[in-house]
Amino acid sequence: MSRRTFLKTSALAGGGLMISFTWLSAFSPAEAKSDPALPGNWVEINGYIKITPDGTIKILNPNPEFGQNVMTSLPMIIAEELDADWQRVVVEMGPHDSVKLGPQFTGGSNSVRMYWKPLREAGAAARQMLREAAAQTWGVPLEEVTTTSGVLYHVKSGKSGAYGSFASKASGIPLPKEVKLKEAKDFKVVGSSKKNVEGRKIVTGGPLFGLDYQQPGMLIAMIEHPPAFGMKLKSFDASEALRMPGITDVFTQKLYENGFEQGGFDTRTFNDLLVVVGKTTWEVMQARKKLKALWEPAGDTKDTMGGRGQKREVIVPGELESTDAQLRKMQEYAAKPAQQLRKDGDPETAFKNAAQVIERTYNAPFLAHNCMEPMNFFAHVTEEKALLVGPLQAPGWTEPTLAKILNLPPDKIEIRMTRMGGGFGRRAYGHYLTEAALISRKVKAPVKLVYTREDDMTYGIYRPMYTATYRAALDKDKKLVAFHVKGGGIPEHPIHANRFPAGAVDNYLAEGWQIPSNITIGAFRAPRSNFNAAAEQSFLDELAEAMGKDPIDLRLELLKRAKENPVGKNNEYDADRYAGILKLVQEKSGWNKAENKKYSRGVAAYFCHNSYAAHVVDMVMKDGQPYVERVFSAIDCGIVINPDAATNMVQGAVVDGIGNAFYGGLTHKNGAAEQTNFHNYRIIRMHEAPKKVEVHFVQNDIDPTGLGEPPFPPVFGAVANALYKSVGKRFYQQPFSPQLNNSSIL
Amino acid sequence: MIKLTINKKPYQVEVDPDTPLLWVLRDALGLVGTKYGCGVAQCGACVVHLNGEAVRSCVTKVSRAAGQKVVTIEGLAAKADHPVQKAWLELDVAQCGYCQSGQIMAAAVLLKENKNPTDADIDAAMAGNICRCGTYLRIREAIHLAAEMQRKGSNG
Ligand code: FES
Ligand code: FES
């Protein structure tokens, strides 16, 4: 047992943890009872929980669902502390209401982490109010009222009653000032696999997604974007398009007025929108082809950024960028001095005196998110109010923007969150809501804005293009004495300076540089980590080979050093937990077993979003191509809420990682994306996915941390390391697949 | 006016005969279970059955479906009890779920034609269906499970 786990356990050993509310007090039960939105016989106990007299329990899920299972796993947390019978629970997506339901954003692998405590409190508080109601009704002391699966008991008198019969009384009981939370060992719902609460709707084709939303009188809108980053609209002739059947309107619309202070998630590809509106999707698609638009270079433009409390002007360069020129520019920048991000010891001297220096450079292209459901949003905006319905990760980040642009108070803006057909970070950028809202206001009708696949892929908010050079200095005994990483990107660098192997090497230097660009970028499943892990974990593999060590042993030795005698400050990771996943994957994969020698095996591990993930990838040759046949994964994300769904997500992250490592990449020619749809942007398919991904979670009772992102980054490194074993060649450029045929997109 | 039979129900729609069946289903008839993913026959999100065969509705003109039998995910089984649907639920295949109606419709045709598909058969039959969330392992497993259910006659 690690020290942290031990401390945690002893804190709980007294029989549950008393907590006092900070957030739940925002909710007053009296106010809830008068909530006219509440249908007939539902009794609201608190913002998350409603109960019918017949004992059905409705739990509102606060956070948008994009496949990470929060619609099921977050309500499970409430049900656990409420001691509800899961069979009687129905789940509904909550409204956007940050007072009652908290921050409501899906991203940063944060859903479970940030809601763990509040949802437990919400469940525990409701349970206590129900116990109180029963105690008063039965005239017995509160301490003697117990619960089991939705039923209240008074053992001494033999009285019992279902939650439903006490709900009405409980709703009038004052919110308790503090409640006792369960001990992890007593969990019944948390940690036991529950089926996706929307599973049935998914397999029967029920309307679930934003694109499925319809309203009578609704129009369809699409945006004709410039053909390339760096271009803008010069003029257009819509006469032919307007004569096409079903077309009601063609117009230009500015998204942000000049000087509008953009927040961190207001990123958009283009500001001047050429909009086509019509009755049906197909008609609008056809009319777009008849538009005659002239485009011209935009030149350098200016954006006003308002985020983090300080207003600043940013120049967006007007150049029409091409991938080969970008690569050359990256090489130039890599040779220049860069910003120092962390330095321990005296790396310069250590490198000068080294017996051997290993230096390798890794490159990776832009990646498009390619959510299976393209960007879209429904909007109905009038002078008085706005209704918006669709897929997005963070309603709270877009609402202030909408309020400003529509000049409406936030309480007149209703955002409803649908299930998302994927997100991967892309839907944290809500520009498409604002676009839909402006279009609806202009045409004075309910409108659904739809991006085609081509729009979605070529006007993205991409994973940046990255490069990093890693250097290691070995002394004459082949001991690692210094480590240097210098990373850059368009338009941001990837470096996490305080992550492993920082803390494990006496002389350490991390540096970063960046090149501005007009190609828009944003969060993509494990931002920056998804490149770092690929590069660093490949480099460590090569380093282990040069040092004559087993790659897992080398990592464990470095982690031992980082634990016993850490170098520097601010090391972000827990060396014990990091070593823990490596040991677990070593054991479960039979790393040293002779029978596995038939595989080309690669290993990698990484820490991000407060969690730890390691993979062993087993590669074979299939139809003359290297193929990942099976994968062993070890994950430490603390307590796992819904194990089967968590396993599914890790398996998905492994498949996603293999796919992007082999095939993922977006390139540009004169500002235009060269990949436009799935015929030339290759996505991993069934026959390329492994036959088996065996997922093992470290069992501990540490509060849960992220899982959507952490398993993704180390896949790239593990694949690269297996490829080396398989074909005898190191791979430094992503994606790997073209290089198997001696070509490269970079 | 085009006459269609979808999920055993008759429909009449007034659309350009070149309109892809996908958009007739979704926009004109409100049958939104069939998904748009690429529009160019690359992803399989839009698979429906036309006279029992899997077709990509995004590139199937509605005129081709006139007078033929169309089945969409909504009509695959009256009580969501097709072995494929049951297996999908049993193994909790979906992540975001967006691709799954196309996957299910493709898998149903595979199992009609091949009662006991091997992994290689599944690879071949399902290669046209992208799942961006990467649920391929479970799709494969669910197809094997559905085949077993079908063999045991438990398609309820
Ligand atoms: S939408 Fe038809 S194959 Fe992709
Ligand atoms: S489950 Fe999300 S695309 Fe397949």
Side-chain angles (χ1 to χ4, degrees), chain A residues 696-729:
Chain A
H696 299 274
F697 292 100
V698 173
Q699 302 295 321
N700 59 32
D701 54 10
I702 298 172
D703 284 352
T705 48
L707 188 61
E709 289 161 300
F712 180 62
V715 180
F716 294 74
V719 168
N721 299 338
L723 265 179
Y724 171 63
K725 292 280 172 51
S726 176
V727 300
K729 180 172 118 180

Side-chain angles (χ1 to χ4, degrees), chain A residues 372, chain B residues 94-100 130-133 135:
Chain A
M372 209 65 220
Chain B
Q95 285 186 43
C96 83
Y98 193 80
C99 72
Q100 301 296 348
I130 291 175
C131 174
R132 180 67 184 84
C133 299
T135 63

Side-chain angles (χ1 to χ4, degrees), chain B residues 22 35-47 56-59 128:
Chain B
L22 169 69
K35 300 302 187 212
Y36 166 70
C38 70
V40 293
Q42 287 291 321
C43 76
C46 63
V47 169
R56 288 144 195 266
S57 62
C58 69
V59 290

Side-chain angles (χ1 to χ4, degrees), chain A residues 644 646-656 692-695, chain B residues 95 133-134 137-138:
Chain A
D644 183 56
T647 300
N648 195 356
M649 188 157 58
V650 175
Q651 291 171 330
V654 167
V655 171
D656 190 7
K692 182 169 103 170
V693 179
E694 201 179 289
V695 181
Chain B
Q95 285 186 43
C133 299
L137 286 87
R138 287 186 184 212

Side-chain angles (χ1 to χ4, degrees), chain A residues 67 195-196 203-205 211-212 214 281-282 369-370 372 419 452-453 644 648 651-652 656 677 684-685 693, chain B residues 20 26-27 33 35-38 40 42 73 80 85 89-90 92-93 95-96 98 127 132-133 136-138:
Chain A
K195 294 268 158 64
N196 184 337
V203 304
T204 53
L211 210 55
D212 301 343
Q214 298 179 331
T281 316
W282 181 249
H369 296 80
N370 294 328
M372 209 65 220
R419 191 177 184 90
T452 62
R453 171 58 57 198
D644 183 56
N648 195 356
Q651 291 171 330
D656 190 7
N677 202 322
I684 188 167
R685 291 174 186 267
V693 179
Chain B
R26 292 186 57 86
D27 283 1
K35 300 302 187 212
Y36 166 70
C38 70
V40 293
Q42 287 291 321
I73 183 83
Q85 287 168 313
L89 289 174
E90 177 63 30
D92 226 355
V93 170
Q95 285 186 43
C96 83
Y98 193 80
R132 180 67 184 84
C133 299
Y136 298 117
L137 286 87
R138 287 186 184 212

